[in-house]
Amino acid sequence: MELSKQIRILLLNEMEKLEKTLFRLEQGFELQFRLGPTLQGKAVTVYTNYPLPGEAFNREKFRSLDWENPTEREDDSDKYCKLHLQQSGSFQYYFLQGQEKSGGGYIVVDPVLRIGADNRVLPLDCVTLQTFLAKCLGPFDEWEGRLRVAKESGYNMIHFTPLQTLGLSRSCYSLANQLELNPDFSRPDKRYDWSDVGQLVEKLKREWNILCITDVVYNHTATNSKWIQEHPESAYNLVNSPHLKPAWVLDRALWHLSCDVADGKYREKGVPALIENDQHMNCIRKIIWVDIFPRIQLWEFFQVDVNKAVEQFRRLLTQENRRVTKSEPKEHLKIIQDPEFRRLGCSVDMNIALETFVPHDKGPAAVEECCKWFRQKLEELNSEKHHLTSCHQEQAVNCLLGNVFYERLAGHGPKLGPVTRKYPLVTRYFTFPFEEMTLSTEESMIHLPEKACFLMAHNGWVMGDDPLRNFAEPGSDVYLRRELICWGDSVKLRYGNKPEDCPYLWAHMKKYTEITATHFQGVRLDNCHSTPLHVAEYMLDAARKLQPNLYVVAELFTGSEELDNIFVTRLGISSLIREAMSAYNSHEEGRLVYRYGGEPVGSFVQPCLRPLMPAIAHALFMDITHDNECPIVHRSAYDALPSTTIVSMACCASGSTRGYDELVPHQISVVAEERFYTKWNPGASPSDTGDVNMHSGIIAARCAINRLHQELGAKGFIQVYVDQVDGDIVAVTRHSPSIHQSVVAVSRTAFRNPKTSFYSKEVPQMCIPGKIEEVVLEARTIERDTKPYKKDENSINGMPNMTVELREHIQLHESKIVKQAGIATKGPNEYIQEIEFENLSPGSVIIFSIASKLTLAELNQVLYRCESEEQEDGGGCYDIPNWSSLKYAGLQGLMSVLAEIRPKNDLGHPFCENLRSGDWMIDYVSGRLISRSGSIAEVGKWLKAMFFYLKQIPRYLIPCYFDAILIGAYTTLLDVAWKQMSSFVQNGSTFVKHLSLGSVQMCGVGKCPCLPLLSPSLLDVPCRLNEITKEKEQCCASLAAGLPHFSSGLFRCWGRDTFIALRGMLLVTGRYLEARNIILAFASTLRHGLIPNLLGEGTYARYNCRDAVWWWLQCIQDYCKMVPNGLDILKCPVSRMYPTDDSAPLPAGTLDQPLFEVIQEAMQRHMQGIQFRERNAGPQIDRNMKDEGFNITAGIDEETGFVYGGNRFNCGTWMDKMGESDRARNRGIPATPRDGSAVEIVGLCKSAVRWLLELSKKNIFPYHEVRVRRHGKVVAVSYDEWNRKIQNNFEKLFHVSEDPSDPNEKHPELVHKRAIYKDSYGASSPWCDYQLRPNFTIAMVVAPELFTAEKAWKALEIAEKKLLGPLGMKTLDPDSSDMVYCGVYDNALDNDNYNLARGFNYHQGPEWLWPIGYFLRAKLYFSKMMGPETAAKTVFLVKNVLSRHYVHLERSPWKGLPELTNENGQYCPFSCETQAWSMAVVLETLYDL
């Protein structure tokens, strides 16, 4: 089925600026801009830089979008302008109101990643990434062996740190030449270049299904980069950034202090070279304040030369021709910073000074007095600057000492040891490429441009800084206050605001970007939060020109989602790196999964047209990033497996770093590490330090977990639930709302080393909702007997003594981690498995696959439920004012109305008016489901979430969007239903599929269970918690006879109706468990050898029908033949409610018998003869029955073997209309008593006897005979004998011969039609035997061996001619000699007509649907014996007849087939609108076809 186009609507509102709001979209989506309420009726123009098809993207080029108005109405409610999104990246839009900008924002379109030779899509949520430090890969020709570890571990993306030539520090991120491949990768005899790298990347994509990304570093370059010396303007130096001079002077002073400490010159002042304690730290603080700051006098850079300024002021005061005016100055006097930052180079505004300090006359004394006041003011201003500088110095000392403490004293720091020139007291903030000299000599250089241009600022990062502010620009004091965590190997780059500000730098970095985008599928923006946004935009635009689906990842340290969004929206970042190592315990780790890893409420089929909602940035969730410390150091080696499982269960991209899986017990330093990674070698032993394989570390488990992560992402497991079971155990559930399945990963973390910390052996029980299908994997971190870890000199080796014990795809009982699993209940309709663990040791994980899908019984509640069913549950169907109630409370009720409205576009319908007027119907739909629980409530919550969006849009749009949401939900639910049915249904026609939904419609569980309880020892019986008693109760689904009249309470379940419908409704559809439970439930009520007609939960049962027990036996036979291992049902326990005829009802489990014994009892009782009077006989159980009617008889004729029974005052077959009219004098008279041997019951009996005979011959059924007491003796009648008696007598006594002189004919004078089969034999009114009715066709289907083919065919042709109607079969021959035929049923009519009053003709002509199924099946069966031509014609006839049923089914608002129609297929208002057996028999016919 082709997916509908996804459309998102962005409502524009006046002055709404959404630059900090993230809108994520996918390629192929259509984005519609519509006018919100504040803009309707106004002249609005939308502009965007999203390019026209075929045009290249230009960030600065905006175009206006044309408005479309599909309805051409005069108002703006429907008009929109749209974008068809076909390329990835960040795009801007804004809108003008008239000529004034009124609002705007950005949209981010995700890239489409592709892998493999077939170029298949890799969804972003399926990404599993592994980071490699490029310098540790060794020579290029050895890369494949080392990269293969990622392939074998199940990763589908590799992140390389930069592959360029490195700077002197050897840090992976300090690049000496951005354009050159690191020469370390070449051999003396073989030089490799970028084309070689490109070929390898392409091979990994096509053959290994792995994409490759690498870093781009825009912020800095290595201090020894040759090009930065040639183009010093590309850095922040003391020429282009003179504001850094004071910081530079401080930096040099600290360097000299560091050298003096290293040389031991401060030992006497309490600071040795090896700093070891707080006393040493306090001495450093004192030295800086006492010796350093007074010497360098930093405040002078911000002060005025007072003497010089006063002299200038005096000159101005004493100038001749100067006019003196006393006025209030507009501004206060303040210091103006010297742009060149010379000592005492600052100034003040002399005009303000002259206005402020005015002499009272021109005399010298007055001038001197003014100069004095002016001097005083300047000294005051200088003092303020001195104080401000002291504050900066205070912060500088604190930061410096904090740095010293971390590097020298902190337990978690690098402990650098003694101060040396290689490891100075503090990292230098500036380059100094000159010979050492005195501090004063050095300072003179800052005013010499040819030297000062090489005094460049290093880069670094500032904790808690505003990422949108460049900390090296004027106005920032970061360098002076020593707040920079400095990278002393890299120079910060100075781009300016546009390429013209530094042409070389922009061109150089653009070329670098283009090399990267040419060879890699994605980039990681290193140090993104400090990269100027306009620079990153420019570079990524260049990259996307070469790699349109560029995957862009970044790590942001903004500390704010709003700030993150600015970077994500402006740069089009695909995934933000999030790190689990930041979690300080398992609870926090779980919270991170919940935050970044999917939706708590998602959709199983999102409506394809809906509002565009703000998103959070897509995450690349890493268990550890390459530049952070090793978790084994901070936690334990045992934690690697559980933590990686928790991370991998997040619904987003996931990742790790090479070394984590091998359990390398230290950080692999991006600066200091020079060893190479290990290679893949399947045959390696644990002691091999240069090779790894599946037995190394947690690699085997990682492979399985990565595979699972990719599978869950691909299959739409978009919901995530995190459960903190206890302090160490985290359970993460991934749920797919589309297929209603879950995967639960239970991880026992080991943040503390289990060998040195206490972990309880008592692990809490867990309740897993749903049925566990399998254990996907279980893994435990274990130690093995090998030599302990020793750091290898050449290879980055892991811990050889640690590995995982892994088992995949096992059954629960095979698990070594689970002790036992029981079934419990949590709420109505919710299955829970209680899991008890025995080996969930720290470092273990177990992952379960759960079938938590909506069951078909739950779908009955979601889709259907008529008024009386809902009322029984305390609700009702939604009533639409000025119209009527919905047919169903579930979605089908709404869909039936929408199906009428949609083609006509009938927006004036009361249904639409109700939706526009308020949220009542919307809230009813979701609220009704949420009030239930389990999976049903989940659907309700999804609908509620969707309706939240719906309520945001204008009311006039709600009907069409409501329809869109419901169609999506409804069609998905139908798919969920069909997927749980048989292959016949799943592969069947539309007609078959829609008919099969009758099974969902009719088969359900209400608040009160209708079936008697099954044996407690029976397995797989559905249970729930009773909402009132709070106790566990069985909740087996039962079959309603028909809707709406036979759907609830005592009148829902009927023995006869249930078992006529059961084969088609449950067995043909594959609902074997429900079929079994219904068969066994009715078996428990067997009494007098009969199955009840009205079930009444067993305790109110009426045993007044002769046929139900035979239909029950037929269904057991069908079950055994159609269900895999179906014969097992014969041994299933039946809890007998009435072990004797006079027992009080016994509780379930009191007396259990296997089903085969109950079957034998039914057969034996019939052969013995059944005779009893109904309990409570009288008007309290039947207000119409005459007294004799309560006397029940049934038995087996000794001569013929026929089953017989009944009398003229009761009606024990399906034609069971009892007269109700006093006026017409038919009250208490059955219209169709059909006493004697009814033809279909004889056929059903023959079928049962034949089947039991077959089973007994195979010793499957342990009885070969029935034993009865006759004339005081026990007589045995074998099934073989019984079978032969029926066979020998049936056609002789039931067929009406075409020969008038047939000696077998007892009443030739009553023969009305010949070549037919009698409706009964031995009726108390003999003429009833000879009536033509459709019942003989039933016998033909269940016991075809009773019929001669030619005779059967003739009888069927007569039935076709006389009885076949458009949808059903006439229940009586219109030509009947007794003239009682009437084809119109009216149960309300009460007149003097004996044959019609109060619907007395119920079975005397109206066309019932269920017999047509048996007629058509009989025709199909016997046509094959009449030759190919006849068979072909019959198939044509059957299809032709069934086409009418299809039309009715599709048009019916009930989506069902009725109980009956009036003559010639006319609608009968007294019929059930949809009847179980009507749909069942048509489905059976299609099954036979």
Side-chain angles (χ1 to χ4, degrees), residues 931-946:
S931 68
R932 286 147 163 86
S933 66
S935 301
I936 298 175
E938 202 177 299
V939 178
K941 287 173 190 168
W942 176 80
L943 285 167
K944 186 178 180 181
M946 288 297 99

Side-chain angles (χ1 to χ4, degrees), residues 1222-1233:
D1222 293 318
R1223 187 174 170 186
R1225 297 179 304 285
N1226 65 19
R1227 184 184 291 277
I1229 309 294
T1232 44

Side-chain angles (χ1 to χ4, degrees), residues 100 162 283 501 538 564 566 616 666 850 869 960 1005 1053 1309 1342 1353 1361:
E100 194 177 325
C283 289
D501 292 345
Y538 178 87
D564 281 357
I566 292 173
I616 66 165
H666 58 82
I850 313 290
E869 289 176 284
C960 71
V1005 187
C1053 287
E1309 73 283 0
V1342 298
W1353 191 251
K1361 187 177 176 186

Side-chain angles (χ1 to χ4, degrees), residues 186-205:
S186 296
R187 300 270 191 191
D189 57 340
K190 173 67 177 166
R191 190 171 178 278
Y192 294 100
D193 58 23
W194 289 114
S195 63
D196 296 302
V197 172
Q199 285 170 22
L200 177 65
V201 168
E202 186 60 25
K203 177 182 177 177
L204 265 55
K205 177 187 170 183

Side-chain angles (χ1 to χ4, degrees), residues 20 81 144 168 517 522 594 814 886 1064 1075 1078 1356 1380 1435:
K20 295 180 181 177
C81 50
E144 276 195 38
L168 290 175
Y594 186 79
E814 298 173 272
L886 299 175
I1078 289 171
L1356 286 167
V1380 297
V1435 168

